[in-house]
């Protein structure tokens, strides 16, 4: 739960398994094992899911693909677009709604 809390509150920053493991005071390998047992996902899969859920919110507010990628912790817009399309089935540009990016 503590690792999930950390991910939800820091997803927009560069996060590594080691950083998350240090936060919860566990060895990274042990954290991976516990995390998968509890969530059915790897730490990385969970982080991507949290970031993509945040991306959906930003896109629905009218943020550009580039701005959404930056706000959600992705290294670059092309990596974000590739992951978004892989997990959501369409490009992030198709989800941008008229509105104001906040």
């Amino acid at each position: 739960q503590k690792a999930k809390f950390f991910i939800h509150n820091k997803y927009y920053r560069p996060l590594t398994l080691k950083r998350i493991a240090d936060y919860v005071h566990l060895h990274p390998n042990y954290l991976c094992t516990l995390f998968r047992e509890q969530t059915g996902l790897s730490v990385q899969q969970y982080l991507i899911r949290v970031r993509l859920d945040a991306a959906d919110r930003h896109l629905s507010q009218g943020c550009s693909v580039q701005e959404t990628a930056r706000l959600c912790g992705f290294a670059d817009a092309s990596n974000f677009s590739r992951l978004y399309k892989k997990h959501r089935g369409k490009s992030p540009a198709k989800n941008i709604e008229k509105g104001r990016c906040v």
Side-chain angles (χ1 to χ4, degrees), residues 84-100:
Y84 192 93
K85 188 168 186 170
K86 178 182 175 185
H87 290 272
R88 297 295 198 250
K90 57 186 168 184
S91 82
K94 299 221 187 255
N95 273 7
I96 297 175
E97 296 182 17
K98 293 194 183 228
R100 184 170 174 184

Side-chain angles (χ1 to χ4, degrees), residues 67-86:
E67 185 68 3
T68 298
R70 186 187 67 75
L71 290 169
C72 295
F74 290 95
D76 59 67
S78 62
N79 182 44
F80 162 64
S81 292
R82 183 181 55 77
L83 278 170
Y84 192 93
K85 188 168 186 170
K86 178 182 175 185

Side-chain angles (χ1 to χ4, degrees), residues 2 5-6 9 14-15 17 27 30 49 52 60 63 66 77-78 81 88 91 97:
K2 196 172 177 182
F5 175 83
F6 186 73
N9 286 290
L15 287 181
L17 177 60
H27 188 277
Y30 188 54
R49 181 179 285 179
L52 291 177
S60 72
C63 292
Q66 292 78 13
S78 62
S81 292
R88 297 295 198 250
S91 82
E97 296 182 17

